[in-house]
Amino acid sequence: MKTLTFIGANGFIGKSFIDYFNKGLFNKYKIKKINLISRNITELKKIKYSKNLNFIKADISKLKNLPKSDYIIYGAENAEIKKKHRYDKIINESKESIDNFCNIVKDQKKVKILYLSSGIIKKHKNRISKAKSPTEAYIKIKKYSELKIRDLSKFRLKTSIARCYTFIGRWLPRRSKYAIGNFIENVIRKKPIIVKKNNRVIRSYMYADDMVSWIMNICFNSQIKTMTCDVGSNYQIEIGQLAILFSNLFNQKIIFTKKKIDSKKEDKYLPKFNKIHTKLKLRTTYNLKKSILLTIKDIKKN
């Protein structure tokens, strides 16, 4: 029997792991138990869950030891940094957490560790001395944590980094900065789909089950020399076309708030695929249309 520990399980990815486990899909990895560590487990416990899910209320920056595990996923960082937040405080808290994790995990010599990073690192390659925006604060956190994970090779620990892009699934925030989440919310509430951008915005969306499968495959293949892999769909779509797809699927009205689109301005955020993807034989199971329909169905069902 294999055990997985997920640190920072209260977000979209953590909840998607619970769904994946409840469907019995972790059986192929021989994982029979998951430890879910979070400072706030109240929301997690509202999800229907198996008896083999172990909820641990804890702050990773203060933990003295970790449950013995075969695999560890680290995702304990705040992705929803706001303009009102003190960036230096959030950055320092994140550093304390990853520092402590790297210190206490050294005793588990046979564990495989995966760090949940972000593709935004590659989009913003310049060094940031002082964070002046939520995005810059987030980048500083991710870059620091990636370095800390790579440093674990000194202790002969097998590690990997999953640079995550954009996803779709029932736990995606539906009233935030994510356009597809807002589209889903408007469909459920039977309100018009609103497109606010005045430039070309291009994204790709991977369904939650594919996301979990890829993350686990990458973690399973962790090496002493840290392996880094993008996680996301290779099917790209412009936001206006995405709105049209939603409109066609659900017979919803679309409102474009900007009458003219500047085609010269392009915001593209897409994963890149390399020999690691080929070696691991990573493939997507769900196309975008099916992903949207399954997400809406799951939200309404629950």
Side-chain angles (χ1 to χ4, degrees), residues 226-258:
T226 306
M227 181 175 65
T228 302
C229 207
D230 286 359
V231 177
S233 169
N234 62 355
Y235 176 78
Q236 58 182 273
I237 188 168
E238 199 276 323
I239 293 297
Q241 293 301 313
L242 179 65
I244 292 170
L245 175 59
F246 269 86
S247 177
N248 291 339
L249 285 174
F250 303 103
N251 195 28
Q252 297 286 112
K253 180 182 177 182
I254 307 174
I255 297 175
F256 290 91
T257 59
K258 307 293 183 181

Side-chain angles (χ1 to χ4, degrees), residues 101-246:
F101 167 73
C102 291
N103 184 50
I104 61 178
V105 80
K106 290 184 292 188
D107 296 330
Q108 298 199 32
K109 297 300 181 183
K110 294 184 179 180
V111 71
K112 291 184 177 181
I113 302 162
L114 180 138
Y115 171 66
L116 292 171
S117 188
S118 170
I120 202 168
I121 282 182
K122 292 195 293 186
K123 193 175 182 183
H124 299 269
K125 295 180 180 179
N126 296 334
R127 185 177 180 274
I128 299 167
S129 55
K130 184 174 176 60
K132 297 178 181 178
S133 69
T135 299
E136 289 185 348
Y138 191 58
I139 292 167
K140 279 183 73 74
I141 289 167
K142 291 299 181 186
K143 285 187 174 181
Y144 180 85
S145 295
E146 281 199 9
L147 287 173
K148 293 295 294 187
I149 293 297
R150 289 193 176 95
D151 282 346
L152 290 174
S153 63
K154 297 174 185 175
F155 306 99
R156 308 299 291 172
L157 290 175
K158 294 181 178 180
T159 60
S160 55
I161 294 170
R163 286 183 174 163
C164 299
Y165 281 76
T166 40
F167 305 107
I168 181 171
R170 73 162 170 144
W171 299 112
L172 186 73
R174 304 202 300 272
R175 297 183 186 181
S176 66
K177 61 185 178 181
Y178 305 109
I180 198 166
N182 296 327
F183 293 174
I184 290 168
E185 178 69 7
N186 288 359
V187 164
I188 290 170
R189 297 173 66 191
K190 297 183 178 180
K191 292 194 172 184
I193 295 165
I194 300 173
V195 182
K196 299 178 181 178
K197 296 289 184 180
N198 62 349
N199 59 315
R200 282 174 52 79
V201 177
I202 300 170
R203 298 288 187 268
S204 66
Y205 299 95
M206 174 180 271
Y207 186 57
D209 283 359
D210 278 334
M211 173 195 72
V212 175
S213 175
W214 280 38
I215 289 171
M216 281 311 306
N217 268 286
I218 297 164
C219 185
F220 187 79
N221 287 280
S222 295
Q223 303 293 328
I224 291 171
K225 183 180 178 181
T226 306
M227 181 175 65
T228 302
C229 207
D230 286 359
V231 177
S233 169
N234 62 355
Y235 176 78
Q236 58 182 273
I237 188 168
E238 199 276 323
I239 293 297
Q241 293 301 313
L242 179 65
I244 292 170
L245 175 59
F246 269 86

